[in-house]
Amino acid sequence: MAEYKDPENTILIELEHGQVVIELMPDIAPEHCARMKELARAGQYDGVVFHRVIDGFMAQTGDVQFGNQNKDFELRRAGTGGSDLPNVKAEFSGIPHDRGTIGAARSQDPNSANSQFFINFSDNHFLNRQYTVYGRVISGMEHVDKITRGEPAPYPDAMISVKVAADVA
């Protein structure tokens, strides 16, 4: 097993092209980090597609309701759902939306984040203090860069598995 600074707050996402390692920021956004770990541990992110991928901007995924290609998949509705858990309140901070950071996707209501998140392809500082940043890619960004573009892509890439590093032997 690889060594991680904080395995309890490290997320491992298996993509078609390889593994992406995300370091969560529980000191910055504890509720968002707890939600991601809860859904990962429940296996709810496994098989969920990247439903909105905009070149030079970001790759969005995490719709566990309509975006799971293995269960009740509806590509045209992917991106409109969430988990059956309550929404998470905004945890805005001064952490910038730099390339590789993880942001909480939400509706117009700042307190509507649930299960969806996005990975920034570029520095997207216009999002600063408007969307919660709660992690960053520490390895595997080259795999994120290979995710199929589209809103949605006709054949979207999916997260094969999402695990908390502390749970992987």
Side-chain angles (χ1 to χ4, degrees), residues 51-80:
H51 64 270
R52 184 170 176 243
V53 184
I54 303 171
D55 201 32
F57 181 31
M58 58 89 217
Q60 186 172 334
T61 185
D63 182 346
V64 300
Q65 185 176 5
F66 300 118
N68 188 329
Q69 65 182 5
N70 304 321
K71 178 176 74 73
D72 301 328
F73 183 55
E74 293 186 53
L75 183 57
R76 63 183 175 70
R77 293 187 71 191
T80 63

Side-chain angles (χ1 to χ4, degrees), residues 26-159:
D27 50 329
I28 302 295
E31 297 304 316
H32 285 79
C33 294
R35 174 59 55 82
M36 182 173 232
K37 292 190 297 185
E38 181 178 2
L39 293 171
R41 285 187 160 127
Q44 290 196 47
Y45 282 133
D46 299 355
V48 174
V49 302
F50 286 87
H51 64 270
R52 184 170 176 243
V53 184
I54 303 171
D55 201 32
F57 181 31
M58 58 89 217
Q60 186 172 334
T61 185
D63 182 346
V64 300
Q65 185 176 5
F66 300 118
N68 188 329
Q69 65 182 5
N70 304 321
K71 178 176 74 73
D72 301 328
F73 183 55
E74 293 186 53
L75 183 57
R76 63 183 175 70
R77 293 187 71 191
T80 63
S83 74
D84 55 4
L85 299 169
N87 288 343
V88 180
K89 287 192 184 333
E91 295 175 298
F92 299 155
S93 70
I95 304 290
H97 281 266
D98 289 339
R99 173 173 163 77
T101 54
I102 310 305
R106 60 169 177 78
S107 69
Q108 293 295 327
D109 177 356
N111 298 315
S112 64
N114 189 290
S115 62
Q116 293 187 43
F117 63 94
F118 58 90
I119 304 171
N120 287 294
F121 285 130
S122 308
D123 292 350
N124 293 315
H125 294 171
F126 65 95
L127 299 174
N128 292 355
R129 297 189 186 275
Q130 297 181 58
Y131 290 82
T132 300
V133 174
Y134 63 99
R136 70 172 39 95
V137 173
I138 57 171
S139 74
M141 192 62 194
E142 68 274 16
H143 308 309
V144 175
D145 288 335
K146 293 178 183 170
I147 294 170
T148 304
R149 292 350 188 222
E151 298 184 68
Y155 303 101
D157 287 330
M159 296 183 289

